[in-house]
Amino acid sequence: MPGPVLLLGAPGVGKGTQAKLLMAEFGIPQISTGDILRDQRTRRTELGLLADGLMSKGQLVPDDLVNRMVEIRLKQPDCANGYILDGFPRTIAQADWLDGHLSRTDPERPLIAVSLIVDYEVLLRRITGRLISPAGRIYNVYTNPPQVPGRCDVDGSVLEQRADDRVAVFEDRMKVFGQDTAAVIEHYRAQGRFAEVDGDRPVEMVMESIVGALRALRTEAQASSAPVAG
Ligand code: AP5
């Protein structure tokens, strides 16, 4: 059902948390440009080393590098039935690239987009309370603590705070969001096939709203692209 899905919103709004639930619900992969960049950084590739300096300051990695990374990822066979883009596009240049790429490679299935909304103070608390396992499981000391402090519930690994989850870097990430990414949200709002969801509710309630919105948007998109009878 889903085809290409965008999850949009500010740092800490819950994109990663929800993308993982949507993966399980729809059986399609999450493509997080942040996770791909962090993996490149861990493997100390050229891209990872470049990204490291930018990410630790809350700045964006150049569009052409990120676009190329996404282009390669979208060619993987697990994307055939759809995918959830989390953290991409983040600039109008990335959105224009994605729109052009999909109109060439996947014209039958237009993008559908959901934007999550959460207030600044709640975002700050979520970001400063977040802990991540090496396998990418997301916890929060305030809202979703692990059973044993500092350890992953699933594999017992040591949880870590992301280097960019310090208050000063969060403020810079929010500035970048306002300068660059807010315009991307308006871009997809203007295209239609877009819904806004209140992300400041329990995780399962947010998930139900997103799933409902995605089903409605996909049905609408299919109806508007169907050939007119007669
Ligand atoms: P990225 O990793 O994409 O970070 P982000 O967009 O800032 O988003 P986050 O991962 O911080 O938050 P999230 O919305 O996924 O929230 P989460 O679910 O974890 O990017 C990092 C960096 O990489 C960028 O700054 C940039 O440098 C670079 N980059 C990435 N993509 C790029 C691109 N396209 N172009 C250029 N550069 C790029 O939740 C947060 C916390 O809240 C968790 O602890 C969670 O448990 C908790 N939580 C979630 N939902 C709820 C809820 N409903 N109730 C209570 N708590 C909740």
Side-chain angles (χ1 to χ4, degrees):
M1 181 288 286
V5 169
L6 292 188
L7 267 189
L8 301 166
V13 80
K15 301 180 297 294
T17 300
Q18 294 298 330
K20 285 177 175 50
L21 297 172
L22 296 171
M23 273 173 76
E25 173 78 15
F26 293 119
I28 57 174
Q30 168 198 21
I31 301 178
S32 157
T33 43
D35 286 350
I36 299 174
L37 290 167
R38 279 183 287 276
D39 176 58
Q40 297 273 334
R41 184 176 60 188
T42 304
R43 293 193 284 118
R44 301 188 65 76
T45 64
E46 200 179 327
L47 171 59
L49 293 175
L50 168 80
D52 187 24
L54 295 165
M55 290 167 84
S56 61
K57 288 188 266 188
Q59 292 171 4
L60 297 181
V61 174
D63 293 329
D64 52 340
L65 297 179
V66 180
N67 293 347
R68 178 77 191 125
M69 214 171 76
V70 171
E71 184 177 17
I72 292 168
R73 181 65 185 88
L74 293 184
K75 285 187 183 145
Q76 299 299 310
D78 63 336
C79 293
N81 293 327
Y83 42 85
I84 304 144
L85 280 168
D86 155 12
F88 180 90
R90 254 178 154 91
T91 64
I92 287 294
Q94 292 178 13
D96 286 343
W97 174 83
L98 181 67
D99 294 350
H101 179 74
L102 293 183
S103 68
R104 287 190 303 278
T105 58
D106 199 1
E108 304 296 317
R109 297 186 304 180
L111 274 176
I112 51 179
V114 170
S115 172
L116 295 173
I117 311 290
V118 171
D119 286 347
Y120 183 92
E121 290 305 323
V122 178
L123 293 176
L124 176 62
R125 192 172 155 83
R126 285 189 184 180
I127 287 283
T128 51
R130 174 166 53 189
L131 293 173
I132 308 274
S133 81
R137 294 186 192 92
I138 305 170
Y139 295 87
N140 193 287
V141 293
Y142 306 117
T143 60
N144 178 29
Q147 284 161 14
V148 177
R151 295 278 177 176
C152 176
D153 293 349
V154 178
D155 59 19
S157 56
V158 176
L159 302 178
E160 289 188 352
Q161 185 177 40
R162 263 170 52 177
D164 59 348
D165 277 352
R166 287 175 290 120
V167 176
V169 185
F170 168 70
E171 284 168 357
D172 289 337
R173 288 162 64 195
M174 285 302 286
K175 275 188 207 139
V176 170
F177 175 75
Q179 282 159 10
D180 294 304
T181 312
V184 172
I185 295 176
E186 294 316 309
H187 171 87
Y188 287 106
R189 190 197 304 277
Q191 282 193 9
R193 306 185 303 274
F194 171 93
E196 224 161 47
V197 165
D198 175 6
D200 191 8
R201 293 175 295 153
V203 168
E204 296 71 24
M205 283 177 70
V206 177
M207 151 85 169
E208 276 170 29
S209 297
I210 296 175
V211 169
L214 291 178
R215 291 193 198 284
L217 290 170
R218 184 55 73 203
T219 305
E220 221 174 272
Q222 277 163 349
S224 62
S225 64
V228 179

